[in-house]
Amino acid sequence: MEVGMWGTRGSVSVSSPDKVRYGGNTTCIEVSSDCIPKGHGLAVDCGTGLIPYTDSLLGRKIWNLDVLMTHPHHDHTMGLPLAGHPFIDAARINVWGTNEHGIGPKEVMGYLFKPPFFPVHFASLRHRFFTHNLGVIGTQVLVIHPVGGYQLHQADVFKRAEATGQQLPFKSNKRFPIGECLVVWMYRTLHPEYTVSYRFEERTTGRIFVFLTDHERTAGFPADLVRHVHGAHLFVQDGQYSKITYETRTAGFGHATPEYCVELANLSEVEVLGLTHHDPRAKDTMVDERLAEAKAHAEKIGCSPKFVEAIFACADYQRLVV
Ligand SMILES: [Zn+2]
Ligand SMILES: [Zn+2]
């Protein structure tokens, strides 16, 4: 499995000479795996990082794009109207997301492509879009197979099939072994909207990637959250605010601190931790400070030197082998 960081900035995209090393695109994370059907791209979120990602897909003649939305805040959606796929006849875009107060992925697309905010109305593009409501987060699992495609299953049905070694049904009544799949678990984060964290388990290799953004620092560590993150080979989390900023100004904004990221990663026995959702006002040197804060805290609480060394701050266009 490989993870491409196409957008790692939080809140709003930025461009400035002192924000070059980490970049200014908002959240868009590519997940690539042999378990995903050939000719399909998979992104978590469609912030402005989606624009270079879809350029890269189209350069390789990949017309199918799946987007797993964490939530509909602007910084996680604004890349889609300027991305390549919505305007190409051969393209097919599947958007997966939560539905809150009657607003699901279909309605979000309707808001994004709507005059006078954007000159093209969604009605003229709708035939290229397929939207999917994820339902109650925590009750379902999304299973991806190279031939079977994408299929949502009830978590209890999945667990029963896994325990008994049964194959899972996909569309067109075909069945495939779980061991050939990319299994995507979901967890509801603590944020002002109904927000999802995704855990990707590549069952062919046993490798695990967890992406947790727009999640507030909580008091304590809920057992189901630790379970969701547990054993990740790569864990990327929102560490937007320094401890002092959080405690004096930004508590309740729905974001975490480097210190909290380290503690959650440590409790969850994560191998590599990446900080993301960098503050739009943070210069490169300030992101360096968040990273130093994370490493200092990891040392203070007795994490292994190997883990301390492995903590990093995510940067646009970075690629990581999980
Ligand atoms: Zn955000
Ligand atoms: Zn948000």
Side-chain angles (χ1 to χ4, degrees):
M1 181 160 44
E2 273 188 36
V3 170
M5 304 281 171
W6 294 92
T8 60
R9 191 65 60 167
S11 310
V12 69
S13 58
V14 292
S15 169
S16 135
D18 50 19
K19 294 168 189 160
V20 171
R21 272 192 289 120
Y22 292 103
N25 295 336
T26 64
T27 305
C28 177
I29 307 292
E30 168 196 358
V31 177
S32 103
S33 163
D34 289 341
C35 298
I36 295 170
K38 284 218 174 350
H40 286 243
L42 171 58
V44 181
D45 279 339
C46 40
T48 60
L50 184 75
I51 299 166
Y53 177 43
T54 51
D55 287 349
S56 144
L57 290 175
L58 294 177
R60 290 177 278 141
K61 299 193 175 1
I62 295 177
W63 315 117
N64 295 288
L65 172 67
D66 278 83
V67 177
L68 306 182
M69 282 174 56
T70 61
H71 65 309
H73 279 166
H74 290 313
D75 51 326
H76 299 259
T77 57
M78 285 309 287
L80 199 49
L82 276 304
H85 285 64
F87 307 97
I88 288 177
D89 269 334
R92 293 292 175 267
I93 306 153
N94 282 274
V95 185
W96 307 73
T98 55
N99 187 311
E100 189 179 33
H101 311 307
I103 297 175
K106 185 172 157 200
E107 290 72 25
V108 171
M109 296 304 110
Y111 285 116
L112 281 175
F113 297 92
K114 185 175 191 170
F117 309 107
F118 190 72
V120 182
H121 200 288
F122 186 56
S124 63
L125 311 167
R126 187 175 293 167
H127 57 289
R128 294 181 201 124
F129 279 83
F130 300 85
T131 52
H132 311 268
N133 287 322
L134 288 171
V136 179
I137 296 306
T139 63
Q140 297 188 98
V141 55
L142 179 63
V143 186
I144 306 170
H145 184 272
V147 178
Y150 287 62
Q151 186 70 53
L152 268 178
H153 287 281
Q154 289 300 317
D156 55 344
V157 171
F158 176 90
K159 284 175 185 166
R160 221 170 18 248
E162 187 173 40
T164 56
Q166 284 178 325
Q167 298 193 344
L168 281 177
F170 284 77
K171 287 178 196 76
S172 67
N173 287 327
K174 289 202 174 105
R175 288 178 171 268
F176 297 101
I178 293 172
E180 295 177 357
C181 298
L182 182 65
V183 177
V184 188
W185 297 95
M186 292 163 259
Y187 177 85
R188 182 176 182 176
T189 77
L190 184 62
H191 197 59
E193 313 316 325
Y194 199 161
T195 303
V196 190
S197 163
Y198 294 96
R199 173 188 174 95
F200 297 87
E201 297 177 350
E202 191 179 53
R203 292 299 180 92
T204 48
T205 61
R207 305 298 286 177
I208 297 167
F209 165 54
V210 179
F211 183 61
L212 172 63
T213 193
D214 295 66
H215 173 66
E216 177 104 25
R217 185 177 93 156
T218 51
F221 299 90
D224 55 349
L225 173 59
V226 173
R227 238 188 339 265
H228 176 72
V229 178
H230 193 264
H233 300 95
L234 174 64
F235 174 44
V236 171
Q237 192 188 349
D238 164 354
Q240 181 167 350
Y241 299 128
S242 69
K243 184 171 185 272
I244 185 76
T245 300
Y246 181 86
E247 288 176 350
T248 55
R249 287 200 296 115
T250 61
F253 286 18
H255 302 285
T257 62
E259 195 176 89
Y260 177 81
C261 295
V262 163
E263 289 184 11
L264 178 57
N266 183 47
L267 267 178
S268 309
E269 302 183 68
V270 159
E271 202 169 282
V272 175
L273 167 66
L275 304 176
T276 191
H277 209 276
H278 307 310
D279 192 273
R281 290 191 176 82
K283 301 169 187 172
D284 288 331
T285 50
M286 292 159 80
V287 178
D288 291 341
E289 285 166 17
R290 297 294 81 71
L291 177 59
E293 198 176 332
K295 285 179 183 277
H297 192 66
E299 275 171 358
K300 186 176 148 198
I301 63 171
C303 296
S304 72
K306 192 176 167 210
F307 176 71
V308 175
E309 175 73 29
I311 304 171
F312 69 102
C314 301
D316 293 1
Y317 305 104
Q318 184 177 29
R319 285 195 81 78
L320 297 152
V321 176
V322 180

